[in-house]
Amino acid sequence: MYARTVKRMNKDGSIVEYGQLCQNRWNKDKGRSEVRVIYNIGRLDRFTKNEYEKIIETIKSLESFLPESDRRYTKEENLPISSKEFGMAYLASAVWKELHLDKLIKSLLKKKKFTLPVEKAIRAMVLDRIIFPLSKKGAYEWMEKELFFEGAKELSLHHFYRAMDFCEDYQEEMQEAIASSLSGLFNRRPFVVFYDTSTTYFEIDKEDSLRKRGYSEDKRFDKPQIVLGIAINKDGYPIKHWVFPGNSSDKEKVEYVIGEIRKMKDKNIKDDDNLTPLLWISDSGMMKNRALEFLESKGEQYIIAQPVRSKIGDVLILNKEHDKEEGKNRNLLDITLWNGKHVLTEEKIINNRRYLICEDLEQKDVDRETREEILQYIKTVLKETKNRIDSKKILSLYTHRTYGGYLKKDGETHEIVIDEEHVKKEEKRDGKYILLTNNLTEDAALIVSGYRSLYTIERTFKTMKNILKVRPIYHHIEERIKAHVFLCVLAYLIVHYIEMKAQMTFSYVKNTIEKLHAVEYKTKDGVTICQRTQITNKQREIFNKLNIPDPPIYLSMSNNDKQ
């Protein structure tokens, strides 16, 4: 016996290698030796080199220990039939049930009198996003051939598409039910919501009612896109999401989103006097003054970052004069907060709004070092260039997006020189950020800590784009596009739950658990048995942290000869 690798090209052009254990046998009829595959080990990128070699040695060693009649790996009738991925499907399905997603979907199906296996189809598509993101057709073929999934035999490809239609029709009810089921979500005071948007583009040229050209975070301004908006709670779990046309601006939709979140809050919080405020946290790019006034008029609270390089930034950081209440209610502070890495230097109240000027000590060093490198380069170029008025090198420096800000034209000589006043302004801005809130009494440290948690939503989009592969989106019908996004949000919900409860990165969990396989073989008595591989200590540690029992050793058994 010997091991060999075979290669297969996917539709996207990527190459996948598979390992096989083979044996040469002499064919008397043809008068030549032929290669027979004894065992398909699986994809090589699922194993390290040492693990792969150990698997081969283990299989080879079985031959000498088994009696001749039971040598499964040398007799054709006793060869393993298949080896399929099992571990992540089992773990994610257990989390799916822990979050009661199965009961939620089944209850809706019962009301609507659905008879198709919609819940299993939705779960299968979510598992695909988590384990090996593909198109819906690719996901069905992958599930059928390479994944051991409970109930997979009941599913057909058309069930996937019917399930997507169900997701779009009832996702409003499902989103609200999921948000309500999250532990303690609507029992906190205040009700904290983080909100942000992102974009994802399509490999098409023609626009439609949803896919429009607009500002692209992927820098693909040539392609139609959609805008994804998502609201998460303080623990990072998704509360609600939206799919907007690609040319939508953040500011246009934020009031609508706020209204939707307030409806959800009012419906689920059982205060007699509705005293639980909404605390809205987001970046400044999407918040017009009108949106802030809307929140204030409804008695809600907000924490919004303000741009440092702006009119209000100049007032607060550069100490320029302000036409209203200049110098009033200014409180100079020096309070260390948020793990000692941030300092609250000043706070000021203007028009009954509270501004906190903070300093990130680590970012301050980074800003200073970056500026020093820029200035050093500019000084070198200026020193080497005699013509500082209209030489090509100097003009390209002067018009440069980064370097140009540090340069100006001398009023007398018309030479391009370093703008020392701008340099001093940048020194004052090093590491600074400004927070705006209408809460005039809350402890400043809690406000800063709340805003710094906004990074969790940035991580949400990163996970959806890089791990769950929200794009490419192969659908062109608006309802199917929205259903696809919903499936990605469900997948993120499971991924985030795993990370929060296991206190491990999802990449580590996935790389560890996906090595757990389901091997199917046929005994000499004609019984087909599907059995899991041995659970390692690391895999068991993950199961224990998630309170998930070990999967049974024997996953299925059937006597095909008697059927």
Side-chain angles (χ1 to χ4, degrees):
M1 287 190 291
Y2 61 94
R4 73 173 184 180
T5 60
V6 293
K7 297 181 179 180
R8 187 187 75 182
M9 180 179 289
N10 292 327
K11 291 181 180 180
D12 60 0
S14 61
I15 303 295
V16 180
E17 290 187 332
Y18 292 82
Q20 295 178 335
L21 197 64
C22 302
Q23 187 178 56
N24 289 333
R25 291 192 179 183
W26 184 259
N27 189 320
K28 293 181 180 180
D29 297 333
K30 296 182 180 179
R32 65 169 185 262
S33 178
E34 291 182 340
V35 176
R36 292 194 178 187
V37 178
I38 297 174
Y39 186 68
N40 286 306
I41 297 172
R43 291 175 51 148
L44 296 188
D45 57 1
R46 305 298 191 198
F47 308 95
T48 64
K49 184 178 179 181
N50 291 337
E51 289 172 340
Y52 178 64
E53 291 174 350
K54 189 174 181 180
I55 290 172
I56 294 172
E57 290 174 2
T58 302
I59 295 174
K60 286 182 177 179
S61 67
L62 293 174
E63 185 180 7
S64 60
F65 288 96
L66 294 175
E68 181 66 26
S69 59
D70 288 332
R71 289 191 181 179
R72 187 172 299 134
Y73 300 100
T74 58
K75 286 188 172 293
E76 186 72 30
E77 64 270 18
N78 289 323
L79 294 180
I81 299 171
S82 66
S83 175
K84 296 183 177 182
E85 295 185 44
F86 166 67
M88 276 305 301
Y90 173 77
L91 183 142
S93 292
V95 173
W96 177 272
K97 294 175 182 177
E98 177 68 21
L99 294 171
H100 305 297
L101 295 177
D102 56 334
K103 293 180 180 178
L104 166 63
I105 296 172
K106 287 176 182 178
S107 66
L108 289 173
L109 290 171
K110 191 174 181 180
K111 291 179 183 177
K112 310 303 177 184
K113 297 182 179 180
F114 271 77
T115 56
L116 296 175
V118 170
E119 184 272 332
K120 288 182 180 177
I122 295 174
R123 177 153 47 110
M125 289 186 284
V126 170
L127 292 178
D128 169 65
R129 305 320 303 173
I130 294 173
I131 303 171
F132 195 57
L134 294 166
S135 67
K136 302 303 175 289
K137 185 175 184 294
Y140 173 72
E141 293 173 350
W142 165 77
M143 180 196 70
E144 190 177 37
K145 297 175 182 178
E146 298 189 33
L147 182 71
F148 183 87
F149 167 59
E150 181 187 2
K153 294 181 179 179
E154 300 176 34
L155 298 176
S156 300
L157 180 58
H158 79 277
H159 292 145
F160 280 24
Y161 295 117
R162 297 292 79 76
M164 291 189 74
D165 295 338
F166 174 85
C167 286
E168 172 55 21
D169 291 341
Y170 302 107
Q171 70 167 286
E172 288 293 324
E173 295 176 56
M174 292 172 67
Q175 284 192 80
E176 187 169 320
I178 291 169
S180 300
S181 67
L182 296 177
S183 178
L185 174 62
F186 294 107
N187 298 322
R188 299 189 178 177
R189 307 294 186 268
F191 174 40
V192 180
V193 174
F194 298 90
Y195 177 74
D196 204 353
T197 60
S198 185
T199 62
T200 188
Y201 64 93
F202 293 75
E203 293 289 354
I204 58 172
D205 296 320
K206 189 176 180 180
E207 295 182 331
D208 55 32
S209 59
L210 182 64
R211 297 176 291 181
K212 299 281 188 180
R213 290 181 178 85
Y215 177 78
S216 172
E217 294 187 4
D218 301 305
K219 309 301 179 186
R220 293 303 304 266
F221 302 101
D222 59 321
K223 296 294 183 182
Q225 64 178 17
I226 55 175
V227 176
L228 309 178
I230 190 166
I232 65 175
N233 72 348
K234 194 173 182 179
D235 296 324
Y237 290 105
I239 301 170
K240 197 173 178 64
H241 73 276
W242 298 264
V243 179
F244 299 121
N247 58 356
S248 302
S249 70
D250 294 334
K251 295 177 180 178
E252 289 175 353
K253 297 297 183 182
V254 71
E255 288 186 32
Y256 167 76
V257 170
I258 291 172
E260 291 287 296
I261 294 296
R262 289 190 75 251
K263 287 179 185 177
M264 182 180 289
K265 184 203 77 167
D266 294 342
K267 186 175 181 179
N268 286 275
I269 295 179
K270 305 302 181 182
D271 283 350
D272 294 336
D273 300 321
N274 198 24
L275 297 177
T276 301
L278 166 69
L279 176 55
W280 180 272
I281 303 177
S282 67
D283 284 322
S284 61
M286 62 188 68
M287 296 298 288
K288 286 183 178 179
N289 189 59
R290 188 177 68 183
L292 299 182
E293 290 175 349
F294 175 77
L295 283 169
E296 290 169 346
S297 68
K298 302 297 181 181
E300 311 291 15
Q301 300 175 3
Y302 55 79
I303 302 174
I304 309 296
Q306 295 293 289
V308 173
R309 292 172 181 82
S310 63
K311 184 178 178 181
I312 191 65
D314 290 345
V315 171
L316 297 173
I317 295 177
L318 304 181
N319 296 323
K320 287 189 174 182
E321 292 187 358
H322 193 265
D323 57 355
K324 290 183 180 179
E325 302 185 39
E326 194 279 323
K328 295 181 181 179
N329 300 317
R330 181 180 291 275
N331 186 15
L332 298 177
L333 305 167
D334 186 13
I335 303 173
T336 302
L337 40 83
W338 216 65
N339 297 331
K341 297 178 182 179
H342 296 255
V343 176
L344 178 62
T345 60
E346 184 179 347
E347 68 174 17
K348 185 176 181 180
I349 297 176
I350 301 176
N351 295 334
N352 212 35
R353 290 176 179 173
R354 184 183 180 190
Y355 293 87
L356 303 177
I357 300 92
C358 306
E359 192 173 82
D360 183 334
L361 301 180
E362 291 182 348
Q363 187 61 42
K364 183 178 182 179
D365 293 336
V366 172
D367 292 344
R368 185 187 70 253
E369 292 170 4
T370 302
R371 185 179 60 258
E372 289 174 352
E373 290 175 2
I374 291 172
L375 290 174
Q376 183 60 45
Y377 176 76
I378 291 174
K379 289 175 182 177
T380 301
V381 174
L382 291 176
K383 186 177 181 181
E384 294 174 351
T385 309
K386 294 182 180 179
N387 179 4
R388 298 184 181 181
I389 299 178
D390 55 6
S391 73
K392 186 176 180 180
K393 194 168 186 178
I394 289 295
L395 289 177
S396 65
L397 201 67
Y398 182 67
T399 57
H400 192 274
R401 183 176 180 180
T402 301
Y403 302 131
Y406 291 92
L407 297 170
K408 69 175 183 177
K409 284 189 177 182
D410 187 275
E412 296 180 0
T413 64
H414 301 291
E415 289 187 342
I416 294 176
V417 296
I418 292 177
D419 188 344
E420 297 295 345
E421 185 179 349
H422 178 76
V423 173
K424 291 178 181 178
K425 289 180 181 178
E426 289 301 303
E427 288 176 354
K428 289 185 177 182
R429 292 179 176 129
D430 284 352
K432 297 287 197 314
Y433 60 95
I434 303 169
L435 301 181
L436 167 62
T437 180
N438 60 339
N439 189 323
L440 306 181
T441 59
E442 184 63 80
D443 181 65
L446 293 178
I447 293 175
V448 175
S449 177
Y451 173 74
R452 296 306 299 181
S453 298
L454 188 62
Y455 81 94
T456 56
I457 200 166
E458 297 170 357
R459 197 164 161 272
T460 300
F461 283 119
K462 187 176 180 180
T463 299
M464 289 181 64
K465 285 189 172 183
N466 298 336
I467 298 178
L468 306 178
K469 305 290 184 187
V470 69
R471 69 162 306 276
I473 300 176
Y474 297 99
H475 306 283
H476 63 276
I477 300 174
E478 181 175 331
E479 289 74 16
R480 293 275 174 86
I481 293 171
K482 292 180 177 180
H484 171 81
V485 173
F486 180 53
L487 292 172
C488 291
V489 173
L490 287 178
Y492 171 74
L493 172 65
I494 291 175
V495 167
H496 187 69
Y497 178 91
I498 292 171
E499 289 188 322
M500 290 286 287
K501 194 161 184 179
Q503 290 298 296
M504 300 173 178
T505 65
F506 178 70
S507 296
Y508 173 80
V509 172
K510 183 180 178 184
N511 291 336
T512 303
I513 296 295
E514 68 183 1
K515 295 181 178 68
L516 185 62
H517 273 224
V519 180
E520 191 176 53
Y521 59 91
K522 194 173 184 178
T523 68
K524 62 180 181 179
D525 300 322
V527 178
T528 301
I529 298 174
C530 188
Q531 178 180 336
R532 66 162 170 81
T533 54
Q534 187 175 6
I535 296 177
T536 65
N537 291 334
K538 290 182 178 179
Q539 291 169 347
R540 183 165 282 111
E541 179 188 7
I542 293 172
F543 286 139
N544 289 340
K545 287 195 172 185
L546 293 171
N547 294 325
I548 296 174
D550 290 353
I553 295 176
Y554 296 101
L555 304 175
S556 67
M557 188 178 298
S558 62
N559 192 338
N560 296 327
D561 291 347
K562 294 181 179 180
Q563 291 179 353

